[in-house]
Amino acid sequence: MSQPPTAPAFAEMTVGAHRLALLKDGAQAYPAMLEAIARARRTICLETYILRGDRTGQRFAEALMERAAAGVEVNVLFDAWGSSVSSSFLDGLRRAGVRPLAFRPLDLSAPLGKVARRDHRKALIVDGAVAFTGGLNLSDDYAAPEDGGADWRDTHLRIEGPAAAELQYFFLRTWQRTGGAPIDDERYGYAERRPDPAVQIISNDLPRRRHRHGIREAYRLAIERARRKIFITNAYFLPPLRIIHALSAAARRGVDVRIMVAGTTDVPAVLLASRAIYGHLLDAGARMFEWRGRVLHAKTAVIDGLWSTVGSTNLDSQSLRMNLEVNAIISHRGFAGAMERMFADDLAHCREITVARWARRPLWERAASWTAYLARDWL
């Protein structure tokens, strides 16, 4: 199957033992992912919270089926709650040799904590050597307008190097613990893991509790150590008090704290709840920006021109405490510079929420915000 041309990445560079490409929106990410799938020779591991049987889902299904027919072992792990695919869609994958697996199909008899914990990761790993991760699910919401999509604003990362094997490691752990089909070990080349401090993969793992807070702690430590600037883009911004306090403390000690949230959102209740905490951050000297236009879905941060992260993690209770998530953390000034340029470009689409503007919000909005904030753990 012919693939669409791959759009140039927002930025490409060598970082430590890795080659990275920063990808903006589905217009850049989807063609790059489809190209990597088409080049697969041994294995493909695809993990997503949302898989839909729409035009985008069909494009990926056709690419995966073509590789499975060529003898590639193709594993697809999708969240049963977030996804919307028909039995005929899944049967078509199976007939072609693709191995789809639903993460935790809804079971009303299961404990609430188990039902509520979803697989929110987004990862594609090809031959254990090339990987993608970030905020993009697989649906028309993220596709470019010329491909019939809604063109949601999101950020993804292409990785070549040891971190690709790290993403594969987390995928296979979850695949096996979720009851996936047996893995042909020889295909995956279980070489010694070689983490590179320049590009780290951090995941909320399954099932160990001690691994559930790694992403939250990475954010908190980076914020507490910040000395010059903190730029955060997070579509669903409802952080725990510890992170709110860390951001406020950073702003009070003179750090340039800028937080971009989704003013155009698919979950209005989250925006209302987020607005309940603006005052605390604004009083500390942080700056708040609400994105306008198409829906914002990205989850990124860049701190002090050195520390950056791209991943699936929202700064909210569900992501930080419950869901399976994965983030890449990059320590590199060149990559951080690209992240800062992306943030600056996005600011042109935002409205700044000043102290005066926040104080003028109507009574109904204040009441709605605090009501939504009380339900923050379930949004």
Side-chain angles (χ1 to χ4, degrees):
M1 183 182 70
S2 62
Q3 300 298 340
T6 301
F10 187 89
E12 293 187 67
M13 65 191 71
T14 298
V15 176
H18 295 82
R19 185 69 185 171
L20 303 182
L22 185 60
L23 304 170
K24 189 172 184 178
D25 303 335
Q28 292 184 349
Y30 284 167
M33 293 166 72
L34 289 166
E35 180 183 35
I37 289 171
R39 293 175 181 236
R41 294 295 175 264
R42 299 188 312 277
T43 61
I44 297 172
C45 298
L46 175 62
E47 185 172 10
T48 186
Y49 176 63
I50 295 174
L51 174 63
R52 292 201 181 124
D54 54 17
R55 182 173 175 177
T56 296
Q58 290 292 344
R59 287 172 66 197
F60 275 85
E62 290 171 10
L64 295 168
M65 290 189 292
E66 190 277 331
R67 288 289 80 203
V72 175
E73 185 164 281
V74 181
N75 307 307
V76 177
L77 180 60
F78 62 95
D79 188 84
W81 187 318
S83 297
S84 177
V85 287
S86 66
S87 57
S88 61
F89 180 95
L90 297 175
D91 288 343
L93 291 176
R94 294 187 185 99
R95 284 195 298 270
V98 177
R99 310 193 303 175
L101 176 65
F103 180 86
R104 290 188 175 172
L106 300 186
D107 180 359
L108 297 180
S109 65
L112 180 60
K114 185 174 182 178
V115 172
R117 193 172 195 209
R118 309 313 311 173
D119 185 353
H120 196 250
R121 294 175 186 154
K122 292 89 175 161
L124 168 66
I125 309 101
V126 175
D127 292 337
V130 178
F132 297 79
T133 195
L136 277 86
N137 293 290
L138 297 184
S139 86
D140 285 348
D141 288 335
Y142 307 84
E146 56 267 29
D147 293 322
D151 198 28
W152 284 16
R153 173 69 190 91
D154 216 328
T155 303
H156 228 55
L157 184 65
R158 184 183 189 273
I159 302 169
E160 293 182 67
E166 286 290 289
L167 280 165
Q168 180 176 270
Y169 167 80
F170 285 115
F171 175 93
L172 292 176
R173 280 174 60 89
T174 306
W175 176 266
Q176 292 165 341
R177 283 172 164 77
T178 307
I183 293 296
D184 181 355
D185 289 352
E186 291 187 6
R187 290 176 179 259
Y188 294 87
Y190 283 109
E192 181 181 356
R193 295 165 66 196
R194 296 177 292 110
D196 178 356
V199 182
Q200 301 179 62
I201 300 298
I202 299 183
S203 177
N204 293 353
D205 204 1
L206 180 74
R208 300 179 184 176
R209 284 186 173 273
R210 65 188 177 91
H211 291 155
R212 289 193 184 180
H213 304 305
I215 297 171
R216 183 193 69 186
E217 290 306 293
Y219 262 103
R220 183 182 63 81
L221 287 172
I223 291 167
E224 289 179 349
R225 292 169 178 169
R227 292 296 174 264
R228 296 187 296 114
K229 49 191 173 182
I230 298 171
F231 299 161
I232 292 174
T233 300
N234 208 269
Y236 310 106
F237 184 75
L238 281 171
L241 289 176
R242 185 175 293 184
I243 289 182
I244 294 174
H245 292 157
L247 288 167
S248 299
R252 289 193 179 97
R253 65 175 179 266
V255 177
D256 180 5
V257 178
R258 305 185 190 192
I259 301 166
M260 187 185 306
V261 304
T264 304
T265 177
D266 60 323
V267 189
V270 172
L271 176 60
L272 282 171
S274 293
R275 286 174 174 167
I277 63 177
Y278 286 6
H280 186 84
L281 292 164
L282 290 169
D283 286 345
R287 298 175 67 184
M288 302 295 306
F289 299 86
E290 288 186 352
W291 169 276
R292 298 297 184 190
R294 55 200 172 111
V295 171
L296 174 70
H297 192 259
K299 307 99 168 44
T300 64
V302 54
I303 296 178
D304 280 353
L306 177 62
W307 185 97
S308 305
T309 187
V310 178
S312 67
T313 308
N314 297 309
L315 290 177
D316 65 10
S317 180
Q318 284 297 109
S319 279
L320 295 173
R321 292 175 48 206
M322 296 290 293
N323 293 339
L324 297 185
E325 305 282 359
V326 65
N327 274 50
I329 294 179
I330 301 97
S331 300
H332 186 265
R333 294 200 178 277
F335 188 84
M339 293 284 289
E340 289 182 352
R341 290 193 296 275
M342 180 178 282
F343 187 86
D345 289 350
D346 287 341
L347 281 181
H349 300 275
C350 293
R351 177 183 70 168
E352 184 167 4
I353 307 300
T354 62
V355 173
R357 188 189 295 272
W358 190 77
R360 290 197 304 267
R361 69 199 192 284
L363 286 176
W364 71 264
E365 183 179 308
R366 298 178 189 220
S369 290
W370 282 110
T371 301
Y373 186 73
L374 292 174
R376 63 192 179 277
D377 287 348
W378 300 102
L379 295 177

